[in-house]
Amino acid sequence: GYPDGTVQPNDPITREEVATIFFRLLTDEARAEYLTETSPFHDVAPDAWYATAVATMEAMGIVEGRSPSAFDPEAPITRGEFAAIATRFDSDPYHGDDRFSDISGHWAAGYINQAAVKGWVEGQPDGSFAPDRSITRAEAMTILNSVLNRGVNEKSELLNFKVWPDNPESAWYYYEIIEASNAHEYTGSRP
């Protein structure tokens, strides 16, 4: 969440935030093996709050810059970029037909297809994916919950969990945000 107590589910999530989220998901062993504070990106200051996360995730091959020397940390991340990071974090490349009508020839098509096969992403009602559209914070949390095979729903027992004033119970993402934003014990596999 943000200092004002909101989670801002419909706002775009930035590239620096996504690198930090995936960095925090690393096992202690993986983080220790790849930990670095040096990145090739001139726009990632060594003292930036996200610098170690970006450098480590880049060293692991999970995040990439917008160019070899620029990460563009404060820019919104696209749906295609997020799908690529999620699949690099977890799985092998996809080989098969495109699952969405608008990804043929897109640099992230294989990643998007793999994420779709795994059930992590869904397309738009018209059968497209919109790979170059910014992903919202709620969409990102939903995908992360799917990647980690985590979920909560109205039948779950929720005790002492954080609520957000801008996460109404009527929203499609209500339970996704509850799951993603509350600390709890979790056992699963990850790098």
Side-chain angles (χ1 to χ4, degrees):
Y2 288 92
D4 67 358
T6 63
V7 70
Q8 302 174 14
N10 295 308
D11 287 353
I13 191 166
T14 64
R15 293 171 52 79
E16 65 199 357
E17 290 170 326
V18 170
T20 302
I21 288 167
F22 279 94
F23 176 77
R24 290 177 181 166
L25 291 174
L26 293 173
T27 61
D28 292 339
E29 296 79 17
R31 192 176 300 110
E33 180 179 346
Y34 291 98
L35 189 68
T36 183
E37 296 178 1
T38 306
S39 82
F41 307 123
H42 67 81
D43 58 352
V44 176
D47 61 346
W49 63 268
Y50 51 84
T52 300
V54 169
T56 301
M57 300 311 284
E58 188 275 336
M60 293 180 74
I62 294 175
V63 301
E64 296 178 350
R66 292 259 168 101
S67 75
S69 63
F71 187 70
D72 205 6
E74 296 176 3
I77 197 162
T78 68
R79 291 169 52 85
E81 289 169 330
F82 195 90
I85 291 168
T87 55
R88 286 185 204 125
F89 191 75
D90 179 77
S91 64
D92 296 325
Y94 172 79
H95 303 288
D97 294 334
D98 286 337
R99 313 287 283 189
F100 302 101
S101 62
D102 62 342
I103 63 172
S104 179
H106 192 278
W107 69 268
Y111 297 117
I112 295 165
N113 286 321
Q114 182 64 29
V117 167
K118 292 245 184 199
W120 299 342
V121 298
E122 295 180 9
Q124 309 300 304
D126 66 358
S128 66
F129 184 73
D132 296 321
R133 181 176 61 78
S134 296
I135 193 168
T136 66
R137 293 171 59 79
E139 290 171 326
M141 287 184 229
T142 300
I143 293 170
L144 277 172
N145 287 339
S146 293
V147 168
L148 299 172
N149 197 25
R150 292 172 30 161
V152 65
N153 59 46
E154 64 275 1
K155 295 178 183 169
S156 297
E157 187 174 318
L158 301 171
L159 301 172
N160 301 319
F161 64 95
K162 181 158 180 74
V163 295
W164 307 94
D166 57 344
N167 183 31
E169 287 188 52
S170 60
W172 68 264
Y173 48 75
Y174 176 76
Y175 288 105
E176 298 292 347
I177 290 177
I178 295 297
E179 173 62 33
S181 64
N182 282 275
H184 57 82
E185 292 293 322
Y186 168 74
T187 303
S189 62
R190 59 183 195 240

